[in-house]
Amino acid sequence: MSAISLGQAVVLGIVEGVTEFLPVSSTGHLKITEGLMGIPVDDTSVVGFTAVIQVGAIAAVLCYFFKDIVRIVSAWGRGIVNREERYHHDYKFAWWVIYATIPIVVVGLAAKKLVEGPLGSLWVVAGSLIVGSGVMWVADQMGRHKRGEDDTTLKDAMLVGSSQILALLFPGFSRSGATMSTALILDLDRVAATRLSFFLGIPALTGAGLYELKDAVGAGVGAVPLAVGTAVSFVVAYASIAWLLKFVARHSFNAFVIYRIVIGVALLGLLTTGVLSA
């Protein structure tokens, strides 16, 4: 029997699609949802499943930003063979994304057992949701929102890319929340911060999903639930991306800050009363 049923796969796909790119922690929401459905959050196949369905969300990013990605990759390809093209911002940006992904890959491989073990506790998720809310609020207040996407530099990309480590080590902190907060502190505007978060998430999340695929399938998750969960996350994530970009163009991140605190406190209550097991 599959460790995750078809119905559970649909629910988890929806949760993943909605939360992957919102600064509310998809990992935290998935763990909470799994706990409420009685799915063991520390099971190897379950951890693999949640990583694989992220590929659906990443596919949504690839489709939504297809023209931008083609432009950046084309500039990178031209720069490889033509020195004059290497002064183009898109060529540099492509390399920056590659460089900025290295820290998360190194830490991810080195800390895999720790992340899947003690750091995967729902107590950590609850604390990270609340602490991450404070970080996000401070970043939104500190940031001067004066720099656009074309103003990004290698330093920006490296700092924002490295901030993904916070979400890796502290599930609940949120990869999007960490990257957007860092970008805001660097004075990028909210739209630029959000788009940079999207682009930096593509290699990191795709790599994680492909790396965990063997564990998800080999340890007890059926191919059908895996495919359904991934497909659902793709459709929902596409809609979520479109909504988020429109939202951040006109609003602060305060709504997300409040939501994260409410969810974090509620999770602490569920753990304290024994409704959920850490």
Side-chain angles (χ1 to χ4, degrees):
M1 252 184 107
S2 173
I4 295 177
S5 70
L6 190 59
Q8 290 171 333
V10 171
V11 173
L12 292 174
I14 293 173
V15 173
E16 163 64 22
V18 170
T19 61
E20 180 58 57
F21 300 109
L22 301 186
V24 297
S25 176
S26 63
T27 301
H29 279 74
L30 286 168
K31 285 182 177 292
I32 293 170
T33 305
E34 289 162 0
L36 291 174
M37 292 194 296
I39 301 173
V41 298
D42 57 348
D43 185 284
T44 303
S45 63
V46 175
V47 173
F49 176 87
T50 56
V52 172
I53 64 174
Q54 287 177 338
V55 176
I58 289 300
V61 173
L62 294 175
C63 290
Y64 193 90
F65 293 107
F66 182 74
K67 291 183 179 179
D68 294 300
I69 293 170
V70 169
R71 187 190 76 244
I72 293 169
V73 173
S74 297
W76 182 74
R78 291 194 302 271
I80 292 294
V81 298
N82 187 341
R83 183 181 296 273
E84 293 180 0
E85 294 288 339
R86 296 175 189 176
Y87 295 99
H88 197 286
H89 185 269
D90 285 340
Y91 170 80
K92 296 177 182 178
F93 185 77
W95 276 115
W96 297 345
V97 170
I98 295 173
Y99 297 151
T101 303
I102 295 175
I104 186 70
V105 171
V106 173
V107 175
L109 293 175
K112 187 174 187 295
K113 291 184 178 180
L114 190 62
V115 171
E116 294 178 354
L119 290 179
S121 168
L122 288 178
W123 288 107
V124 175
V125 172
S128 299
L129 276 167
I130 296 171
V131 172
S133 300
V135 172
M136 185 179 299
W137 183 83
V138 170
D140 206 12
Q141 299 303 309
M142 284 179 56
R144 289 179 288 179
H145 315 291
K146 66 177 184 178
R147 300 170 57 210
E149 188 174 345
D150 290 339
D151 298 317
T152 55
T153 64
L154 173 59
K155 176 185 175 182
D156 297 328
M158 292 301 298
L159 289 174
V160 174
S162 297
S163 71
Q164 295 178 111
I165 295 172
L166 285 172
L168 173 69
L169 297 179
F170 304 103
F173 201 97
S174 169
R175 189 201 66 82
S176 295
T179 52
M180 290 178 190
S181 296
T182 303
L184 289 174
I185 292 173
L186 294 170
D187 292 331
L188 290 175
D189 63 48
R190 294 188 184 97
V191 173
T194 303
R195 283 173 60 88
L196 182 58
S197 176
F198 284 142
F199 289 127
L200 289 173
I202 292 173
L205 295 178
T206 301
L210 295 177
Y211 182 79
E212 296 286 357
L213 181 60
K214 64 182 187 305
D215 290 334
V217 176
V221 175
V224 173
L226 196 62
V228 169
T230 303
V232 171
S233 73
F234 167 80
V235 174
V236 178
Y238 191 93
S240 179
I241 293 167
W243 176 84
L244 179 61
L245 287 171
K246 291 179 181 178
F247 180 86
V248 298
R250 298 183 178 182
H251 302 85
S252 71
F253 287 133
N254 288 343
F256 296 119
V257 170
I258 295 171
Y259 173 80
R260 287 171 58 105
I261 293 174
V262 171
I263 293 297
V265 172
L267 179 55
L268 287 175
L270 292 173
L271 291 169
T272 302
T273 57
V275 175
L276 281 181
S277 171

